[in-house]
Amino acid sequence: MAITDGIVLKVINVLVFAFNLGSNVYSFTGTYGKETYLTPASYAFYVWSLIHLLLLGFVVYQFTETGKTLIIDKIEWRFALLGLLTTIYTWLGVRQYHILAFVASILVSAAVTAIYIQVKRNHRGGNLADELFVHLPFSLYHAWALVLVVLSGFEAFGREAHHHAGIGTKVFVFLALLFLETTAVGYAFQSNEGDIGGSAVITWTLWAIFEHQRSNAFIHWSALGFAILSSFFLLKALVLTWKSGKSGLHALHDEERAPLIPGSS
C-alpha cells in the first residue's frame, strides 16, 4: 500500500488532531466555566490528556496498511467532523456561552457515537494496535462526551454552587449522578462485550464530583455512594474479563457478565 493512499484525509486528520489538541491544552483546565453542584474536581479533565495521547497513535497508525483500512476506509471524514465540533464546543465553553456550549456538546456526543459504532462494527480481535489506537481512544471519548453533555447541561440550566441548593437542585443532581452510575455499569456489561474504558471514565468523574462537592452534604455523600457502586461494577467486569482468559475487550457469556442491578446492562 502506498503511503499516499487517502493522503488528503490523512493530512486533514493530522491537522485536526494538532489543532484540537492545542485548543484543549489552552482551555480545558477544569477551572473555567460556571461552578455548579455537579462540577467535578479539575483532575477529572485529565481524561482529555489520555484521549489525546492515544489519538496521537491514531493519526500515526492511519499511515499503516491495517490502520488505513479502518481509519480512512471505515471512519472516513467522521474524525475531522468530531474535531471541528469539539473545537467549537471548546470555544463556546471558554467564552461561557453555556446554552450554546450545551448544544455543541450534544453534537460532539453524536459525532463520536457515529465513530464508536463504526469501530465496534468493524472490530478485529487480536490486533493490539486497533485496540490501543482506535478502540480505546473512542471508548474513552464516547463516555467523556456523555459526561460533558451532563456537565454542560448543568452549566446551562443549573443553579450556581454559591447559591443555596434547594430540593429541586438536589433531586436533579441525584438523578444526574444516578444516570452516570448506571451508564458506567452499562458500559462495563454492554451485550457480550464490556467497555472497560468507557466505564472507567465515568467512574473517575463520579469520584471527582465527590471530591469537589463539599459544600452540600447530600450531594457530597450521594456522589460517594454512586462512585463506590460504579467502582464495584467496574472491578467486577475487570475480574470477569481476567477470568475469561481473554484480552480485556472480549466478553464472557451474558449470564456471567450480568450486573447485579436489574436493567442496567
Side-chain angles (χ1 to χ4, degrees), residues 31-198:
T31 58
Y32 82 94
K34 177 180 173 182
E35 183 81 11
T36 75
Y37 281 103
L38 202 68
T39 300
S42 60
Y43 64 75
F45 294 84
Y46 293 167
V47 172
W48 274 127
S49 301
L50 179 56
I51 290 172
H52 285 303
L53 178 63
L54 294 170
L55 288 179
L56 175 60
F58 171 88
V59 296
V60 172
Y61 185 47
Q62 69 177 338
F63 289 99
T64 67
E65 183 173 359
T66 52
K68 185 262 181 185
T69 301
L70 180 55
I71 297 170
I72 303 302
D73 297 341
K74 301 298 183 182
I75 295 177
E76 299 176 317
W77 293 88
R78 295 178 181 89
F79 178 70
L81 176 61
L82 174 61
L84 173 63
L85 291 172
T86 301
T87 299
I88 292 172
Y89 167 72
T90 302
W91 188 88
L92 293 170
V94 167
R95 284 152 184 80
Q96 301 191 33
Y97 299 141
H98 298 303
I99 294 178
L100 291 176
F102 172 62
V103 174
S105 72
I106 295 174
L107 296 177
V108 169
S109 183
V112 75
T113 297
I115 298 176
Y116 187 77
I117 291 171
Q118 275 294 324
V119 168
K120 290 289 185 181
R121 184 178 297 160
N122 294 284
H123 180 268
R124 300 177 296 203
N127 187 324
L128 180 60
D130 273 11
E131 302 288 3
L132 190 58
F133 300 133
V134 182
H135 291 270
L136 181 55
F138 288 109
S139 289
L140 301 179
Y141 212 137
H142 190 254
W144 183 238
L146 182 62
V147 169
L148 292 179
V149 170
V150 176
L151 297 182
S152 296
F154 271 79
E155 288 182 354
F157 307 109
R159 181 178 290 273
E160 292 188 77
H162 63 267
H163 293 296
H164 173 70
I167 184 65
T169 297
K170 293 178 182 178
V171 168
F172 281 113
V173 171
F174 185 87
L175 291 176
L177 294 170
L178 175 62
F179 170 73
L180 290 173
E181 187 273 331
T182 54
T183 302
V185 175
Y187 272 109
F189 297 94
Q190 58 174 261
S191 65
N192 282 334
E193 293 186 1
D195 188 337
I196 302 300

